[in-house]
Amino acid sequence: MTACNRLAEGGRRFFLSRGAVAAAGAAVAATAVPLADAQAEPAPARLTYATTRLANISELKVNEPLSITYPDADSPGVIIKLGTRVVGGAGPDGDIVAYSTMCPHKGFPLVYRADDRTLNCPGHYSRFDAEKSGLQIWGQSTANLAQFRLAVGANGDITATGVDELIYGRISNVLA
Amino acid sequence: MAFKRNIDRLPIPPRDAKVHNVTCHFCIVGCGYKAYSWPVGGQGGTAPNQNAFGVNLAQQQPADSPAWYSPSMYNIVKQNGRDVNIVIKPDHECSVNSGLGSIRGARMAETSYSATTGTLSARLTDPQVWRYGGMVPSSWDDAIGLVAEVTRRVVAEQGEDGLIVSAFDHGGAGGGYENTWATGKLYFESMKVKNIRIHNRPAYNSEVHGSRDMGVGELNNCYEDAQLADTLFVVGANSLETQTNYFLNHWVPNLRGNTLDLKRREMPNEPHAAARIVVVDPRRTVTVAACEAEAGRENVLHLAINSGTDLALFNALLTEIAAKGWLDRAFIAASTSGFDAAVTANRTTLEQAAQITGLTVAQIRQAAEWIAQPKAGGARRRTMFAYEKGLIWGNDNYRTNQSLVNIALATGNIGRPGGGCVRLGGHQEGYSRPADGHVGRPAAYVDQLLIGNRGGVHHVWACDHFKTTLNASEFKRAYKRRTDLVKAAMDSVPAGDRAAQIDAIMGAIRQGGLFSVDVDIVPTQIGACAHVVLPAATSGEMNLTSMNGERRMRLVERYMDPPGQALPDCMIVAKLAQGLERAWRSAGNAAVADKFKGYDWRSEEDAFEDGYRKHERGGEHVTYARLRAMGTNGFQEPATGVQNDRIVGTKRLFADGRFNKPDGKAVFASTQWRGLQAEGKQAEKEKFRFLINNGRANHVWQSAYLDQHDEFLRDRFPLPFIEINPADMAELGLAQGDLVEVYNDNGATQAMAWPTPSAKRRETFMLFAFPTGVQGNVTSKGVNEFIIPNYKQTWANLRKIADAPEGVRHLSFKRQDYRPVT
């Protein structure tokens, strides 16, 4: 089974469970979060992301997506060597990109179309361009697709270092 | 790079966040939302007992989670003068959308005014008056005083025909029962203004006179009918993009076969299957593609007719259905009149229709079968008929509308589960006005009056004709010329000398000038010609009631303050009426002054009580308090009573088989085909090479009046697009994103080229009403007999202006339609 097919299969499984909703927590009286101690260290302005090895460049084949997760195991994504240089592409050829594969509209899993290098949502038909930093070609998301920032080491290891949009289903890209 | 917000976390609504009922103020579907607000400086936490959703937000939420909101759903706004955080997110408990949010509605928070985050900083905050060569902030008293006195002087000299009005008549933002009542009371009760037009058309008329004249009100079913139908028959509508969550939440489940249990429960004594769908549209839309993805190509019939030939198709379908005997004879006998005469008058063979429409005989025959061939065991096939601007703004509106209603009546599909013959709608509805009979029918062609130097003062309520009218090139030239005359006159005397100002203005008006008053929430293109601009509040900044496409009425609660001095339209009307009363009294005409009494409203609720409550059918049962309690589900109009303090509504109209005619019988119509009806259209078609079909895009709401100020949208569409077949592009020497001029004898406009393989040769599609390229510039002034515009049948030539500009080079021009990966 190719990576593309695995993504599609994963998409179907996930999609079939679309009715699932988060279990509601117990009804407890409202409690405000206490303000931070005035003496505490100031928090950094931005989230601190894990630097995570996603793959080695030798594992990538042109236009064949590889499933990854980032910034943690609950956040599926995909890394693709497009074969042509793109804005925001990483690696010696400037053609490696990585994206979240949870649709930023409703969280259904995106499926990669190799024929036009797009990520597609079977839930509500949104389409994102993998060659245009995740621009939504058409769809219901109010954001373009979250892209993972990449760095490529001398040994060909590809690491993710951050994310440029809020990932679906999180109030913080880095979960507590 | 695509636009990215680089937001990687969001504030959390605390457990005690305030919750307000919200209905999306954009399209007719009216999706339910909830607004959560809490003071800046406070926040909830991730633990279930620390946030408004009662969910552990430290975890990844699953697909379709009720507990997630995107950055576009968050903002900081003012509430009673204090900054609050706000999250406006779709409501999973609303039956309309079940938690779905479209790309338009789910940006309501981001497209709200915020002095803190800077969003929609373009909103109008103060009355403005033309002074010293520009628009200068002023007070309500100053601005209203000027408008009232100029209006009075014009009416005194020219009569009420000298006052020309453009006004919304719908629901949602820039409308609602409170505001339509107020404007109606001013212009139809205190005055009898007849030179009045509506926001998107050049006269005061119904877009569906045809249906109404047959006794069939146009919003006659419920959204559940789309889940119950055997066949959906859809004309000139691209519902995935223009009624998104109606399509996704009600049509798609039926196309998938997910509503079979509901069908068996509601209609137990007949066979059921997943729905089939017929889409009549010259263009292959994303809606067609989505239907094929969900139902399979074998259950989707796309009738890609020659533009403007719907009427011939419908007459042939009626002829075929009658010939086969697939009729509801009991319904025809009990509830209609004129059937035999209409069948005779409209007789059109399949071959004749095929020749006119460009379809095959087999396609038309198949459509007739899908509409009306009885199901196994002889049960009547249930077909829902739905139409929108492709028909409404298409060739021969009145007859075409009637020819479709003919089919629905003949097959017994109105007032029944799984049926209906409905317009799909643009805005929500919210019409409540005194009688308008004095306007007449056909009503005055107001644009032609304005172009022809008629009238002296123009009141504009939330309309931007420069983007949304036909014959826009000529209209803009004339409007600018006339209003510039008045500006020059105003500049010729000191601004502080009111008496001299008024004299100068009136002098210019006598020379063909026009004094323009623009009431809106944002600066508009027509507003750039105005002499007075008045700032209005929008939905959520005031309490506002409207109904959606299944007549579902809800109250949007005020959840934030309007910007600056902005006021609800109804309260602006009250100020203007009181100003006119004072002006007439000062002029010594007490009799006229007394006509402007009755505007002592303290709030929009008073306007609601004065209007809807007293004047609309069932209005006596409807109060703000009851609507508030009924949340985002509200009730379906008309109200028929109250039980346990809940308003009882009406699921379907005409369920008793009685229609809006004195004898209760709907009337079949004679609707003969007469080619391209509007004056000049056939000649235009013969002279110019490309059809400039036009309409809406998923990303953009209406004329982009808010979207043009939203970074996400502005990045995606700095210019309107025009879809062109790639072979045509090659002939024109065009590459994707190139700037194209669209030109004909009516005018010219621009768009960026989007290569579209599914576009037919010589048939383009241009985004309508966009600020940086107005399609109406090239639409002729030709209208139907009731002054309905004909935007869709426009022909023009194309030529390249420039290579793709920098602002579009990062964009994607890949095909828009979804195709399942197999």
Side-chain angles (χ1 to χ4, degrees):
Chain A
M1 185 186 264
T2 66
C4 182
N5 285 341
R6 281 199 301 275
L7 264 182
E9 182 54 32
R12 276 191 287 273
R13 282 200 304 271
F14 200 125
F15 186 59
L16 289 170
S17 68
R18 63 184 293 183
V21 294
V28 177
T31 52
V33 176
L35 292 173
D37 182 345
Q39 299 301 312
E41 286 286 312
R46 306 302 305 245
L47 287 176
T48 302
Y49 284 91
T51 299
T52 306
R53 180 184 178 282
L54 301 180
N56 188 277
I57 214 163
S58 61
E59 298 167 54
L60 298 180
K61 293 181 183 159
V62 170
N63 207 21
E64 286 191 16
L66 189 69
S67 295
I68 52 154
T69 61
Y70 185 78
D72 55 59
D74 289 334
S75 174
V78 69
I79 185 165
I80 312 158
K81 181 174 173 58
L82 294 166
T84 50
R85 183 173 292 271
V86 295
V87 174
D93 302 323
D95 67 342
I96 301 172
V97 290
Y99 297 99
S100 168
T101 50
M102 277 186 290
C103 181
H105 175 226
K106 282 287 171 185
F108 298 129
L110 300 174
V111 182
Y112 187 69
R113 282 195 81 95
D115 59 359
D116 68 355
R117 293 175 163 79
T118 57
L119 287 149
N120 296 266
C121 183
H124 310 100
Y125 326 119
S126 299
R127 279 166 51 71
F128 303 90
D129 193 337
E131 297 181 297
K132 296 284 189 180
S133 52
L135 187 110
Q136 185 173 223
I137 302 163
W138 186 96
Q140 302 306 334
S141 169
T142 55
N144 294 311
L145 186 58
Q147 184 169 12
F148 302 150
R149 294 194 184 92
L150 301 179
V152 180
N155 65 352
D157 276 357
I158 307 166
T159 52
T161 61
V163 186
D164 65 3
E165 276 283 4
L166 193 65
I167 295 167
Y168 172 82
R170 300 176 167 220
I171 49 87
S172 170
N173 277 346
V174 177
L175 295 174
Chain B
M1 288 287 288
F3 170 75
K4 297 292 176 72
R5 294 183 181 82
N6 279 284
I7 289 172
D8 44 22
R9 53 181 160 178
L10 286 174
I12 300 173
R15 194 81 172 154
D16 60 353
K18 267 193 243 171
V19 183
H20 289 101
N21 296 314
V22 179
T23 302
C24 178
H25 50 82
F26 297 137
C27 92
I28 184 152
V29 177
C31 293
Y33 281 72
K34 294 278 190 193
Y36 298 81
S37 57
W38 70 101
V40 159
Q43 60 181 326
T46 55
N49 66 350
Q50 293 176 326
N51 64 67
F53 312 117
V55 165
N56 179 2
L57 293 175
Q59 294 178 347
Q60 173 70 41
Q61 302 303 310
D64 218 4
S65 167
W68 190 68
Y69 43 102
S70 67
S72 67
M73 300 179 199
Y74 169 78
N75 210 337
I76 296 174
V77 300
K78 290 229 186 302
Q79 214 171 60
N80 302 317
R82 300 180 61 182
D83 270 348
V84 295
N85 296 283
I86 194 159
V87 167
I88 308 177
K89 61 180 290 302
D91 182 6
H92 283 247
E93 303 304 315
C94 176
S95 68
V96 173
N97 55 313
S98 302
L100 288 170
S102 78
I103 188 174
R104 301 169 303 278
R107 286 185 288 125
M108 268 190 289
E110 183 176 81
T111 52
S112 293
Y113 175 74
S114 174
T116 305
T117 64
T119 54
L120 262 293
S121 58
R123 282 289 300 275
L124 298 169
T125 55
D126 300 277
Q128 297 175 0
V129 175
W130 180 265
R131 282 183 178 133
Y132 324 118
M135 295 305 288
V136 177
S138 187
S139 66
W140 277 108
D141 284 350
D142 176 65
I144 289 287
L146 179 61
V147 173
E149 182 58 16
V150 172
T151 301
R152 185 196 69 78
R153 295 269 292 262
V154 167
V155 169
E157 285 194 19
Q158 301 186 13
E160 286 178 348
D161 287 356
L163 167 58
I164 295 179
V165 178
S166 298
F168 54 79
D169 73 336
H170 53 71
Y177 287 114
E178 295 77 3
N179 297 325
T180 61
W181 171 255
T183 45
K185 179 167 174 158
L186 178 63
Y187 297 116
F188 292 167
E189 192 173 283
S190 297
M191 293 184 272
K192 292 287 180 200
V193 168
K194 71 169 196 272
N195 292 334
I196 179 169
R197 57 161 281 177
I198 298 171
H199 67 288
N200 65 2
R201 48 198 192 268
Y204 202 84
N205 48 17
S206 166
E207 292 175 316
V208 289
H209 273 319
S211 184
R212 290 183 186 178
D213 286 356
M214 295 167 76
V216 181
E218 69 274 13
L219 295 177
N220 48 55
N221 74 354
C222 58
Y223 282 179
E224 187 183 278
D225 285 323
Q227 300 189 27
L228 298 176
D230 294 303
T231 300
L232 299 158
F233 189 87
V234 184
V235 180
N238 178 17
S239 298
L240 173 56
E241 299 197 89
T242 53
Q243 295 90 20
T244 297
N245 293 327
Y246 181 26
F247 180 85
L248 292 174
N249 201 34
H250 301 272
W251 298 23
V252 167
N254 193 359
L255 294 170
R256 280 182 181 156
N258 289 350
T259 63
L260 288 172
D261 286 346
L262 178 69
K263 289 182 176 186
R264 291 183 191 116
R265 206 163 55 241
E266 293 285 317
M267 306 169 299
N269 300 315
E270 59 190 84
H272 294 294
R276 296 190 291 203
I277 186 166
V278 183
V279 180
V280 182
D281 195 321
R283 178 173 69 123
R284 183 180 162 83
T285 59
V286 293
T287 300
V288 175
C291 289
E292 290 179 352
E294 297 296 355
R297 296 186 71 137
E298 67 279 12
N299 292 311
V300 180
L301 181 58
H302 175 208
L303 299 179
I305 57 171
N306 293 330
S307 177
T309 62
D310 312 60
L311 172 54
L313 170 65
F314 302 156
N315 281 348
L317 289 172
L318 180 69
T319 303
E320 172 75 358
I321 287 165
K324 295 281 189 187
W326 296 334
L327 301 165
D328 190 333
R329 291 204 177 274
F331 175 84
I332 291 170
S335 297
T336 72
S337 62
F339 173 72
D340 292 334
V343 169
T344 303
N346 302 341
R347 190 174 306 284
T348 305
T349 66
L350 297 182
E351 290 73 18
Q352 287 169 327
Q355 198 268 326
I356 295 168
T357 60
L359 301 172
T360 65
V361 166
Q363 283 176 306
I364 303 173
R365 186 175 287 132
Q366 186 177 16
E369 290 170 358
W370 285 17
I371 290 170
Q373 187 176 46
K375 300 195 278 187
R380 189 180 62 85
R381 193 168 293 278
R382 297 173 187 271
T383 298
M384 178 182 122
F385 298 82
Y387 59 94
E388 193 41 44
K389 291 293 194 298
L391 185 156
I392 287 170
W393 283 348
N395 176 42
D396 217 353
N397 157 303
Y398 185 81
R399 289 190 186 190
T400 305
N401 188 186
Q402 295 201 321
S403 65
L404 184 64
V405 179
N406 278 341
I407 304 173
L409 287 172
T411 54
N413 272 306
I414 301 180
R416 308 273 185 72
C421 185
V422 295
R423 74 171 295 179
L424 287 160
H427 297 263
Q428 284 184 73
E429 303 292 340
Y431 191 94
S432 176
R433 276 184 177 151
D436 59 7
H438 66 280
V439 171
R441 194 171 118 171
Y445 192 159
V446 168
D447 282 19
Q448 289 300 305
L449 298 179
L450 287 166
I451 289 169
N453 282 351
R454 301 276 296 279
V457 60
H458 187 201
H459 294 182
V460 184
W461 295 84
C463 303
D464 194 355
H465 310 325
F466 281 25
K467 290 186 291 185
T468 61
T469 200
L470 66 171
N471 190 29
S473 296
E474 184 184 19
F475 181 86
K476 284 183 264 200
R477 281 195 303 276
Y479 202 84
K480 185 160 192 316
R481 173 178 53 76
R482 295 190 66 192
T483 52
D484 276 350
L485 282 174
V486 173
K487 285 182 176 176
M490 293 175 79
D491 288 343
S492 69
V493 290
D497 186 344
R498 176 55 55 87
Q501 279 282 320
I502 302 271
D503 286 344
I505 291 166
M506 292 308 298
I509 288 171
R510 289 181 205 110
Q511 301 300 313
L514 184 73
F515 186 80
S516 175
V517 183
D518 183 45
V519 188
D520 214 310
I521 62 170
V522 287
T524 59
Q525 295 189 358
I526 196 171
C529 291
H531 308 96
V532 174
V533 170
L534 302 175
T538 191
S539 182
E541 299 164 358
M542 63 176 289
N543 296 291
L544 191 74
T545 54
S546 305
M547 75 172 193
N548 79 346
E550 56 176 345
R551 309 172 320 283
R552 188 174 296 279
M553 182 174 181
R554 274 81 50 91
L555 169 69
V556 178
E557 297 180 273
R558 174 176 160 147
Y559 53 78
M560 62 179 282
D561 299 347
Q565 301 187 60
L567 291 172
D569 295 85
C570 56
M571 300 309 289
I572 299 174
V573 167
K575 280 185 178 293
L576 181 53
Q578 289 157 359
L580 283 161
E581 182 188 356
R582 282 192 299 273
W584 283 107
R585 212 168 294 287
S586 299
N589 194 332
V592 177
D594 287 345
K595 293 182 180 175
F596 295 92
K597 288 184 173 299
Y599 295 87
D600 49 349
W601 304 322
R602 288 155 302 165
S603 70
E604 56 270 28
E605 187 169 5
D606 287 346
F608 179 81
E609 292 285 325
D610 191 31
Y612 187 93
R613 281 268 281 162
K614 287 186 191 160
H615 296 87
E616 295 309 309
R617 189 171 150 207
E620 68 272 22
H621 307 300
V622 185
T623 63
Y624 268 22
R626 286 177 184 145
L627 286 171
R628 204 172 282 123
M630 294 180 77
T632 57
N633 284 314
F635 74 97
Q636 288 176 270
E637 293 184 63
T640 59
V642 176
Q643 284 179 1
N644 302 322
D645 216 34
R646 295 184 69 79
I647 303 161
V648 180
T650 306
K651 189 167 180 177
R652 294 180 186 88
L653 300 186
F654 314 124
D656 60 357
R658 291 190 58 79
F659 291 86
N660 294 338
K661 285 288 180 187
D663 63 357
K665 293 190 171 190
V667 182
F668 281 91
S670 295
T671 57
Q672 292 89 347
W673 167 250
R674 51 177 166 171
L676 292 178
Q677 167 271 329
E679 184 183 355
K681 291 288 183 184
Q682 183 63 37
E684 185 177 286
K685 180 181 181 181
E686 289 163 9
K687 182 171 177 182
F688 295 97
R689 199 162 163 229
F690 290 92
L691 174 73
I692 313 297
N693 191 2
N694 54 86
R696 308 295 186 174
N698 187 61
H699 275 64
V700 184
W701 167 243
Q702 220 243 358
S703 63
Y705 60 86
L706 293 181
D707 287 329
Q708 65 186 326
H709 302 291
D710 181 59
E711 287 169 298
F712 170 72
L713 195 286
R714 202 165 46 198
D715 174 75
R716 185 68 183 93
F717 290 116
L719 292 156
F721 61 79
I722 183 165
E723 299 174 0
I724 312 175
N725 180 283
D728 288 334
M729 284 183 60
E731 280 185 18
L732 293 160
L734 290 170
Q736 67 181 28
D738 283 358
L739 271 182
V740 180
E741 184 174 61
V742 183
Y743 64 100
N744 60 16
D745 292 341
N746 308 309
T749 188
Q750 65 171 359
M752 60 179 177
W754 195 329
T756 305
S758 62
K760 292 187 214 167
R761 293 296 304 270
R762 313 271 186 268
E763 295 199 4
T764 69
F765 178 86
M766 182 175 168
L767 177 58
F768 181 78
F770 205 69
T772 51
V774 174
Q775 189 279 333
N777 285 3
V778 293
T779 298
S780 79
K781 65 182 179 185
V783 292
N784 86 340
E785 59 270 49
F786 298 118
I787 326 294
I788 295 291
N790 185 183
Y791 291 101
K792 303 292 185 182
Q793 280 72 48
T794 295
W795 285 269
N797 286 341
L798 305 179
R799 61 189 160 209
K800 179 171 171 174
I801 301 174
D803 289 340
E806 177 62 24
V808 313
R809 288 187 192 172
H810 68 291
L811 299 180
S812 179
F813 292 94
K814 292 177 180 173
R815 55 190 290 177
Q816 300 173 70
D817 55 319
Y818 172 81
R819 292 162 293 156
V821 178
T822 52

